[in-house]
Amino acid sequence: MSPSDPATRSEAQPYDAVVVGAGFGGLRMLHELRGLGLRTLVVDEAEDVGGTWHWNRYPGCRTDSESWYYCYSFSPELEKEWQWSERFPAQAEVAEYLRFVADRLDMRRDIRFGTRVEAAEFDDDANLWRLRTDAGDEITATYYVAAQGILSAPYLPDFPGIDTFDGEVLFTPRWPHDRELDFAGKRVAIVGTGATGVQLVPVVSRTADHVTVFQRTPTYVVPSRNHVLEDVQRIELDRDRDAMWKRTELHPMALPYPPSAGRLGVDLTDEERRRALDAGWERGTFRFMFEMFDDMMTDPEINKVVADFVRDKIRSIVTDPETAELLCPDDHGVGSKRPPLGQHYYEAYNRDNVDLVSVKKTPITEITPRGVKVGDVEHEVDVIIFATGFDAVTGGFTRVDVRGRSGASLAERWADGPETLLAMAVDDFPNFFMILGPQGPYAILTVVIEHTAQWIGQAIAAAREAGTDRIEARPDAVAGWNQEVLDAVAPTMAVRGSESWLFGANIPGKARVVQQYFGGFHKWLSRIREESAAGFPHFTRSTSPGAAAADGQRRAS
């Protein structure tokens, strides 16, 4: 190894910037900081790039966003060189794409793998972030960018008796990497029916002897209509590339599709609404949820029309009436929770080897040596797969002990709910930025990442051009954005799904506060562009005491 390799470099010399996380966000941020000429180090606890797409390798794992915009847009060369095989690529292909980007742009020389950051503290006198790793090493840098993402802190409920189970326990966010799993001849329990469970059930049930699905809250699963991409479609997509990215900037969800042209469900007849819903169901994907009627998320009656339509679809697909009713959501509206895309999910319950157990009224009592106990009923299984999700949005940031200028931790600061400036900065935490931080737009994450990385780069560049080495969000600006986030969600159907991870409801003791901005990606993008064009008025810029003293010495000499 050379002396400049991140694995051997002396930690006595501070980096200009350190980025934690080597997934979509971390790699994009590294590219941006390199462009500014900053000496940057990326650290990640995994052994390779990928982030979420490195760890989540469970059967059926794939994107719920179409491949042609679930990628980077900053490089036309990368877009031309990489060819996706499917409309919704599987985990292995997404991970391979990120490895391709890292290799093509020679990023690995600035990445240290196998390193977990446990704490980060701002040294006010030195104007440095001091990061402590799991090996006890210290990494110092002027700028600290947290790029762990919104789904990087796995959550496993504390089920009594989980350590007594005689069979195999699997956890989807930490799926085994060292061996292939075979469920043939085995009785498998799947606990959880969020997006991960929806992908797992159809795949595992094809080979397992029996699958028992434990469902707390049913959700509205829309067909993905996945298919292999043909050359003629790739040609069409390439021709439309620039216009596609422009369309994402105008869409509330950052989708590359035109909005519904002002179509309101309330203005249509029952027959017209039905025709629109039938056409939307055939298209599938997020287009059904977010491009049906402009008033679906604000008018409860129109939302009920869409919800009833999906419930009727479930009843028409699932042959057992009792199972069908268990799969029909009845306590929240369409879109109030992130909607999973399914590939024959409901059809899987027509298989003789699949059973559904509701644990909403009667929860899981304990895990026994032989299986899963619900109330007084024990379900004997050989394998338990926990698809119980994440401490989403904030968890990846607060599980690192991040302490700002006053010494208070980020976790303490967000105890009653997160507060940020446009999801990227926090007052009292100088030179600290976040990729996909709390209170960011509820939208397609790869598109959000592109604009976030650019904006952070612009903020740092503006500070350096002004001759300052410290930039910090103003408290009044943070409070103002927090109020905008609360105001944006209030009139929407999202508040009716406040038992979801979008409100932190899946984590015991976590504040029940909206964690993302529901005002629309296009509005958030307009705000950050205004901020940049105005010279970042919602930040304070200053020269640190050490830099000021050094400058004084230079002037004196």
Side-chain angles (χ1 to χ4, degrees), residues 6-23:
T8 60
R9 184 174 187 153
S10 170
E11 298 298 86
Q13 184 179 7
Y15 291 91
D16 293 322
V18 62
V19 179
V20 178

Side-chain angles (χ1 to χ4, degrees), residues 196-251:
T196 298
V198 166
Q199 293 181 334
L200 267 171
V201 171
V203 179
V204 174
S205 63
R206 292 175 195 156
T207 57
D209 181 66
H210 192 273
V211 174
T212 305
V213 182
F214 296 86
Q215 170 191 271
R216 184 183 65 174
T217 305
T219 189
Y220 301 91
V221 180
V222 177
S224 70
R225 310 298 187 200
N226 188 34
H227 58 76
V228 172
L229 293 179
E230 299 179 354
D231 288 342
V232 64
Q233 187 174 10
R234 291 194 182 96
I235 293 171
E236 181 182 10
L237 289 168
D238 289 341
R239 189 169 54 235
D240 187 51
R241 187 74 60 182
D242 291 341
M244 179 194 75
W245 291 121
K246 288 292 185 184
R247 288 195 297 272
T248 64
E249 297 179 6
L250 302 174
H251 197 280

Side-chain angles (χ1 to χ4, degrees), residues 114-247:
T115 301
R116 185 176 71 252
V117 173
E118 296 185 334
E121 185 172 4
F122 184 71
D123 184 331
D124 196 25
D125 293 331
N127 194 48
L128 287 175
W129 279 97
R130 300 186 181 278
L131 283 69
R132 188 180 71 250
T133 73
D134 55 338
D137 299 327
E138 184 181 81
I139 302 169
T140 58
T142 303
Y143 302 100
Y144 166 27
V145 182
Q148 294 97 321
I150 70 171
L151 299 176
S152 62
Y155 170 64
L156 179 63
D158 187 19
F159 292 113
I162 194 170
D163 294 332
T164 69
F165 182 59
D166 289 335
E168 185 168 24
V169 174
L170 300 171
F171 191 26
T172 54
R174 292 295 183 266
W175 200 260
H177 293 189
D178 57 348
R179 57 196 169 92
E180 291 292 330
L181 295 174
D182 184 5
F183 299 110
K186 295 182 179 180
R187 300 164 299 173
V188 180
I190 296 178
V191 180
T193 54
T196 298
V198 166
Q199 293 181 334
L200 267 171
V201 171
V203 179
V204 174
S205 63
R206 292 175 195 156
T207 57
D209 181 66
H210 192 273
V211 174
T212 305
V213 182
F214 296 86
Q215 170 191 271
R216 184 183 65 174
T217 305
T219 189
Y220 301 91
V221 180
V222 177
S224 70
R225 310 298 187 200
N226 188 34
H227 58 76
V228 172
L229 293 179
E230 299 179 354
D231 288 342
V232 64
Q233 187 174 10
R234 291 194 182 96
I235 293 171
E236 181 182 10
L237 289 168
D238 289 341
R239 189 169 54 235
D240 187 51
R241 187 74 60 182
D242 291 341
M244 179 194 75
W245 291 121
K246 288 292 185 184
R247 288 195 297 272

